[in-house]
Amino acid sequence: MTPDLVIRNGRVVTSGSEAMADVAVKDGVITQVGGDIPRGHEEIDAAGKLVLPGGMDLHVHLSPVNLPDRQLAWADDYTSGTEAAAAGGVTTIGDITFPIPGESLPQAFDRAVETASAQTVVDFALHTVLLDPSADKLPEIAQLRERGARSLKIFMHLFGFETRAAEYLRVLAQAGHDDMLSLVHCEDSCVIGHELEKLVKAGDTGIENFPRMRPVSSESAAVERAIAFAESADAPIYIVHLSSARALDAATSARRRGLPVYVETRPIYLLFDESRYQSDTPGLYVGNPPLRSRSDVDALWAGLAAGDIATCCTDHAPWKREQKLAPEVDVTMTRPGMADLETLMPALFSEGVLKGRISLQRFVEATSTNAARLFGLYPRKGTIAPGADADITIFDPHLTKPVRGAELYSRAKMSLLEGVELTGWPVRTISRGETVMLDGEVLGKPGRGRLAQPTDTPAFASPQAPIL
Ligand SMILES: [Zn+2]
């Protein structure tokens, strides 16, 4: 059998192994790793490079939110967002999919699959947002699962969560029953509302006061409550974008008690601290929750190194610079989110691996393998092994270059790392055997991305899963 593609002379790194090995691909699937491999139709020399499982950024916003009271249209759509993914070595994205008013969960999912299938450059998963926790909507969760979804998203600080908390607890229980993982945005709306009221009364509405509005107590209260709900519901939860040491401590002790509580953080909480709100451009750093103290940053790196934090995903929610810095933006009207899908892997490698904060294997787990495990996509995604999709990032660990927002594929055309020299960049991104990025240029065409198909055993169903 002649392989379609052979990647030679690279150092193959997966969760749990690292070795010089050649990789053979046929029909978009990895057929052999190591050993003698005959000449392929296409040969790639990866000497001096790392051969990594393609990145899995399973928390991004590439579709607009259409709610009765507001519309949030981020700068990227499925095409520009997945071009940014391919440019950054990411071969699977997970989009937060909001139903439009009147749509059921499966209707929203089906609509998004159709749009994303026509527009994406790399593969995708969808986390459908549950906005109505009514009892008669609960059967829709199983309908999502029948369609290949393994997750749904709930927000604790929005959409009347506080007044319908008992119903949301039943949602978690139903999701657990249906083997679905609930992504939970953990911030407490009472605390945020009260802090905002104090800021408005004091006339401190400038955006530099943003962190005062959403203090650590708001996050830790919500994380504690989400954990208690998960325990009562006997259901797994995935805490998105965790930002503080206190919240991490709560999640870690829950995990040590045996609860299926998984933690994601995002690059901004590892790269920056709250002093950025005292800069000339505090608005650029607005994300929910806010940047935290230096000791929180250190705690998150330690949590990532120890495996207490499972994943680092971006929550890519791109705005243009002028939108982030618009004069109307203050604590009463924020534009949370930033574009960093394209720099996820270089930033985490440069600041994490090269600075000795995390191992190379932990880097692979945090940017790829663990997300695949948690969302039921492993071992088809998230590893380099026979039978896996040939989603591979060839990564040059010595390439140093500055981040230039204007050169990014994201339509935000800006980066919080503007001008920062990062070392370690993807030089080729391969999606199901096809090169979709080469030397920074995206070659993959919109419409080739597919809904990532789940395997039968999500990690949270197995107490032996390595990240537990
Ligand atoms: Zn998000």
Side-chain angles (χ1 to χ4, degrees):
M1 181 203 74
T2 304
D4 295 334
L5 168 67
V6 182
I7 302 166
R8 298 202 188 266
N9 310 316
R11 175 167 282 275
V12 176
V13 186
T14 64
S15 165
S17 75
E18 186 177 336
M20 299 297 294
D22 297 344
V23 179
V25 175
K26 181 87 179 165
D27 298 328
V29 173
I30 295 168
T31 53
Q32 188 177 338
V33 181
D36 287 335
I37 296 176
R39 190 167 179 80
H41 293 299
E42 184 185 0
E43 293 266 325
I44 295 172
D45 181 12
K49 311 287 195 302
L50 302 175
V51 178
L52 307 175
M56 304 201 61
D57 189 348
L58 289 198
H59 184 174
V60 301
H61 295 266
L62 304 181
S63 53
V65 187
N66 296 286
L67 297 170
D69 56 339
R70 63 174 173 159
Q71 213 231 13
L72 277 178
W74 286 286
D76 285 322
D77 58 17
Y78 288 125
T79 297
S80 63
T82 53
E83 285 172 347
V90 170
T91 52
T92 310
I93 57 101
D95 185 54
I96 308 293
T97 300
F98 284 81
I100 54 180
E103 266 182 345
S104 67
L105 295 179
Q107 283 170 338
F109 184 85
D110 290 346
R111 170 181 52 79
V113 169
E114 193 182 330
T115 312
S117 300
Q119 297 179 359
T120 50
V121 172
V122 297
D123 291 349
F124 59 90
L126 300 172
H127 311 297
T128 313
V129 180
L130 186 136
L131 300 168
D132 179 357
S134 303
D136 61 342
K137 301 283 187 186
L138 295 181
E140 294 180 5
I141 296 172
Q143 294 166 17
L144 278 181
R145 185 178 167 85
E146 285 159 17
R147 286 162 163 76
R150 289 294 178 270
S151 57
L152 53 90
K153 172 100 186 258
I154 64 175
F155 290 84
M156 292 180 76
H157 66 308
L158 294 174
F159 314 125
F161 179 90
E162 202 54 53
T163 56
R164 308 189 70 178
E167 291 167 284
Y168 274 102
L169 177 44
R170 279 184 219 114
V171 166
L172 276 185
Q174 186 66 48
H177 175 268
D178 293 337
D179 279 337
M180 296 279 275
L181 181 56
S182 297
L183 292 82
V184 188
H185 180 128
C186 294
E187 288 187 289
D188 184 276
S189 62
C190 297
V191 173
I192 294 171
H194 186 65
E195 295 297 333
L196 177 60
E197 202 176 280
K198 287 196 283 186
L199 289 172
V200 169
K201 246 183 213 159
D204 293 338
T205 54
I207 199 67
E208 68 279 5
N209 297 301
F210 175 71
R212 288 165 60 190
M213 174 182 158
R214 311 177 89 101
V216 167
S217 58
S218 141
E219 181 177 53
S220 63
V223 164
E224 294 273 14
R225 193 177 190 195
I227 291 166
F229 275 26
E231 186 166 6
S232 173
D234 192 20
I237 56 169
Y238 177 89
I239 299 170
V240 292
H241 53 53
L242 185 128
S243 68
S244 65
R246 265 162 66 186
L248 177 59
D249 283 348
T252 301
S253 72
R255 264 184 56 247
R256 300 223 165 109
R257 295 203 306 279
L259 295 177
V261 171
Y262 306 104
V263 175
E264 168 197 281
T265 192
R266 63 202 273 224
I268 58 165
Y269 305 127
L270 299 165
L271 301 174
F272 308 111
D273 67 34
E274 62 194 355
S275 65
R276 298 281 168 154
Y277 297 117
Q278 307 310 316
S279 70
D280 295 340
T281 53
L284 294 182
Y285 299 93
V286 169
N288 293 337
L291 303 178
R292 304 297 192 191
S293 70
R294 185 43 51 184
S295 61
D296 288 304
V297 174
D298 293 341
L300 294 183
W301 277 115
L304 201 58
D308 293 328
I309 295 174
T311 64
C312 184
C313 298
T314 58
D315 196 7
H316 179 88
W319 302 96
K320 293 174 190 297
R321 186 180 171 88
E322 58 270 25
Q323 291 175 307
K324 291 288 280 182
L325 297 178
E328 69 268 23
V329 167
D330 67 9
V331 295
T332 68
M333 206 296 281
T334 62
R335 291 207 172 110
M338 51 278 292
D340 51 2
L341 172 49
E342 215 156 332
T343 53
L344 167 67
M345 294 181 79
L348 203 63
F349 186 85
S350 206
E351 290 298 307
V353 179
L354 293 183
K355 293 197 172 167
R357 290 162 161 151
I358 56 171
S359 67
L360 183 55
Q361 303 232 330
R362 193 59 80 191
F363 169 78
V364 167
E365 288 167 358
T367 57
S368 179
T369 313
N370 284 350
R373 284 176 176 142
L374 287 169
F375 293 100
L377 304 175
Y378 184 87
R380 186 169 294 143
K381 304 285 193 192
T383 194
I384 296 178
D389 283 354
D391 289 356
I392 296 170
T393 297
I394 300 183
F395 196 86
D396 184 344
H398 305 295
L399 178 61
T400 300
K401 60 178 184 179
V403 177
R404 298 281 178 226
E407 294 167 9
L408 297 179
Y409 276 86
S410 168
R411 291 188 192 128
K413 294 293 172 196
M414 65 154 290
S415 170
L416 297 179
L417 294 167
E418 182 67 39
V420 175
E421 299 229 322
L422 299 178
T423 298
W425 289 84
V427 290
R428 185 191 285 258
T429 306
I430 298 168
S431 165
R432 282 181 278 102
E434 180 184 345
T435 293
V436 292
M437 183 280 283
L438 182 60
D439 294 329
E441 188 188 347
V442 172
L443 306 173
K445 296 286 175 257
R448 64 168 303 289
R450 289 188 207 150
L451 177 68
Q453 291 301 316
T455 50
D456 292 334
T457 50
F460 57 79
S462 158
Q464 307 309 327
I467 62 162
L468 291 178

